């Protein structure tokens, strides 16, 4: 998951003298960029043997060194709960669910997972649903690892999506609230795999112009729009005026960033009426064009391929006072732009 447009790329300060030679084509003299690439290359080298294993065998306990780096980076950007992150060894039940959900993913997810997903790690107490991060080989080819919140294996899809939306609003006020209903019985793991996997396919297919600043430099892109982002996004983090909504920059799903606080619940009604006029399936889609794509692909797949029927509802106490069906919305006819996920 990306948060507030800053993908939580975990960096370390390891410097490879060899790096300048290996990545001449894409390395600038910016030291942070070089440090990031050195770290990404080193992690690729450490994990590359996993590619010869079946995807499900790449679900592993996170190595202590990577857990420490992840924890430290998340704390450095304000996710104070990261101090409690714990690497989970997947149980037999976890593995069975993971394997059964792999079969449900879009074709492009399966292909990218098979060829380029180095590892999947489960973290107890992770601040969000998950995280997708890219690394590079000596030729500058991208590979990936994914972190999944262990709770995704136990919480229902509907409860997770509802909480993700509603947790951004002040908990001391009872109403209104926002709820997501998918008419399915899936666990939230399906959302974690669809969303994080969509980030991988995004990078591989160029569905959006780029994924983060380092990725932009890696691919040497000067592209400012793609078919998917055209008329919706002015740039990576800024929606077009007609797609914007109030308090967008204050979004704080799961309350991951305590310093950021929450949005007054009284604002939700107006924000909901704005959201249903945008091409977004969730408030979180407004974070960046990558989150827009990942949530759109996730919602689209759940509804069009997995038998769901998604409704996002605004409730006052227990009464539904407004609702919309994002995938049926006339604003959301974007299916033709995600064909790469099904080719
Ligand atoms: Zn994301």
């Amino acid at each position: 998951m990306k948060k507030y447009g800053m993908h939580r790329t975990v960096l370390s300060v390891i410097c490879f003298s060899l790096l300048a030679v290996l990545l001449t084509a894409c390395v600038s003299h910016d030291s942070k960029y070089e440090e990031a690439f050195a770290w990404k290359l080193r992690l690729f080298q450490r994990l590359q043997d996993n590619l010869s294993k079946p995807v499900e065998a790449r679900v592993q306990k996170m190595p202590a060194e990577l857990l420490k780096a992840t924890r430290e980076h998340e704390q450095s950007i304000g996710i104070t709960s990261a101090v409690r992150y714990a690497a989970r060894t997947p149980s037999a039940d976890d593995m069975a669910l993971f394997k059964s959900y792999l079969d449900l993913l879009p074709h492009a997810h399966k292909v990218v997972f098979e060829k380029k997903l180095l590892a999947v790690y489960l973290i107890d107490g992770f601040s969000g649903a998950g995280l997708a991060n890219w690394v590079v080989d000596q030729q500058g080819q991208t590979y990936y690892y994914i972190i999944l919140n262990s709770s995704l294996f136990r919480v229902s899809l509907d409860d997770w999506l509802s909480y993700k939306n509603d947790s951004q609003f002040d908990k001391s006020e009872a109403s209104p609230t926002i709820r997501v209903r998918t008419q399915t019985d899936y666990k939230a793991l399906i959302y974690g795999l669809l969303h994080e996997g969509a980030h991988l396919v995004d990078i591989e297919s160029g569905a959006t112009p780029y994924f983060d600043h380092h990725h932009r430099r890696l691919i040497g892109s000067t592209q400012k729009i793609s078919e998917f982002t055209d008329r919706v996004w002015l740039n990576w983090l800024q929606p077009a005026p007609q797609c914007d909504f109030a308090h967008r920059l204050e979004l704080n799903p799961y309350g991951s960033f305590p310093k950021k606080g929450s949005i007054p619940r009284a604002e939700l009604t107006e924000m909901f009426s704005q959201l249903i006029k945008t091409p977004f399936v969730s408030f979180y889609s407004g974070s960046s064009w990558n989150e827009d794509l990942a949530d759109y692909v996730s919602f689209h797949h759940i509804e069009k391929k997995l038998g769901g029927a998604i409704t996002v509802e605004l409730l006052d106490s227990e009464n539904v006072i407004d609702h919309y069906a994002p995938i049926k919305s006339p604003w959301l006819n974007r299916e033709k732009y995600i064909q790469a996920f099904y080719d």
Side-chain angles (χ1 to χ4, degrees):
M1 179 177 86
K2 285 174 62 173
K3 294 192 173 184
Y4 318 107
M6 288 292 292
H7 205 86
R8 291 181 285 161
T9 307
V10 182
L11 305 179
S12 75
V13 288
I14 303 145
C15 237
F16 277 54
S17 57
L18 200 54
L19 188 75
V21 179
L22 296 174
L23 296 171
T24 305
C26 55
V27 169
S28 80
H29 295 292
D30 178 82
S31 65
K32 280 196 170 179
Y33 182 75
E34 290 179 7
E35 285 168 12
F37 271 75
W39 188 86
K40 287 170 179 292
L41 176 60
R42 199 175 79 124
L43 190 54
F44 168 78
Q45 290 169 330
R46 177 171 180 169
L47 301 176
Q48 62 181 323
D49 289 348
N50 272 356
L51 291 173
S52 62
K53 299 172 182 168
V55 171
E56 60 270 23
R58 304 176 209 168
V59 184
Q60 300 167 348
K61 185 174 183 183
M62 181 181 262
E65 186 188 320
L66 184 54
L67 176 63
K68 183 170 178 285
T70 303
R71 233 189 237 142
E72 287 174 357
H73 177 70
E74 299 248 313
Q75 286 181 272
S76 77
I77 60 172
I79 302 175
T80 52
S81 64
V83 70
R84 295 189 293 277
Y85 286 1
R88 176 179 171 85
T89 303
S91 67
D93 285 349
D94 293 338
M95 291 306 304
L97 191 66
F98 181 89
K99 203 172 172 190
S100 69
Y101 281 11
L102 273 185
D103 292 338
L104 303 177
L105 300 177
H107 179 68
H109 279 57
K110 292 177 189 169
V111 171
V112 175
F113 281 16
E114 176 66 34
K115 290 183 178 170
K116 293 200 154 189
L117 180 58
L118 296 163
V120 179
Y121 301 119
L122 313 189
I123 298 285
D124 291 339
F126 196 69
S127 65
L131 174 155
N133 199 8
W134 59 277
V135 296
V136 283
D137 69 5
Q138 287 88 340
Q139 286 74 43
Q141 292 295 309
T142 45
Y143 292 82
Y144 311 93
Y145 69 90
I146 286 176
I147 293 172
L148 297 173
N149 188 323
S150 309
S151 298
L152 294 173
F153 290 74
R154 296 183 289 278
V155 176
S156 77
L157 174 61
D158 287 17
D159 284 352
W160 192 280
L161 293 176
S162 298
Y163 182 68
K164 181 170 184 178
N165 273 284
D166 199 65
S167 59
Q168 306 179 93
F169 297 91
D170 188 351
K171 292 176 187 61
S172 67
E173 303 164 56
S175 287
T177 56
I178 185 167
R179 179 170 74 184
V180 182
R181 301 171 72 191
T182 65
Q183 312 278 350
T184 70
D185 291 323
Y186 294 110
K187 295 294 185 196
L189 178 62
I190 195 67
Y191 174 66
L193 290 173
L194 283 167
H195 181 104
E196 304 308 335
H199 285 321
L200 275 48
V201 179
D202 181 8
I203 293 175
E204 290 293 315
S205 67
T208 66
Y210 56 88
F211 193 65
D212 57 31
H213 288 310
H214 287 164
H215 178 245
R216 185 184 200 179
R217 289 169 78 164
L218 173 74
I219 61 176
S221 175
T222 54
Q223 195 185 342
K224 292 190 170 64
I225 55 168
S226 67
E227 280 189 324
F228 184 78
T229 68
D230 191 23
R231 294 188 297 276
V232 178
W233 290 91
L234 295 180
N235 58 49
W236 180 33
L237 304 177
Q238 181 60 56
Q242 69 273 16
C243 303
D244 212 343
F245 52 86
H247 300 287
R248 188 179 57 81
L249 296 177
E250 295 154 51
L251 296 176
N252 186 8
Y254 315 107
S256 294
F257 296 82
K259 269 194 180 168
K260 211 165 177 182
S262 55
I263 300 169
R265 200 163 280 280
E267 299 294 308
L268 175 52
T269 303
E270 175 60 20
M271 285 175 68
F272 191 91
S273 69
Q274 292 174 346
L275 179 67
I276 66 179
K277 292 174 189 148
T278 71
F280 301 140
V281 299
S282 65
F283 288 124
Y284 190 63
S285 297
S287 305
S288 72
W289 58 35
N290 313 107
E291 300 309 333
D292 177 19
L293 177 78
D295 261 8
Y296 180 74
V297 168
S298 301
F299 277 51
H300 173 272
H301 194 75
I302 290 164
E303 176 140 333
K304 295 290 179 98
K305 308 291 180 181
L306 300 182
I310 304 176
T311 311
V312 184
E313 299 171 332
L314 179 71
L315 294 97
D316 186 4
S317 299
E318 293 301 306
N319 303 313
V320 177
I321 53 174
D322 201 356
H323 71 279
Y324 85 123
I327 295 304
K328 296 182 182 72
S329 161
W331 304 100
L332 275 153
N333 187 17
R334 306 169 85 186
E335 191 171 28
K336 52 188 174 293
Y337 304 132
I338 60 161
Q339 199 49 48
F341 285 79
Y342 298 100
D343 287 343

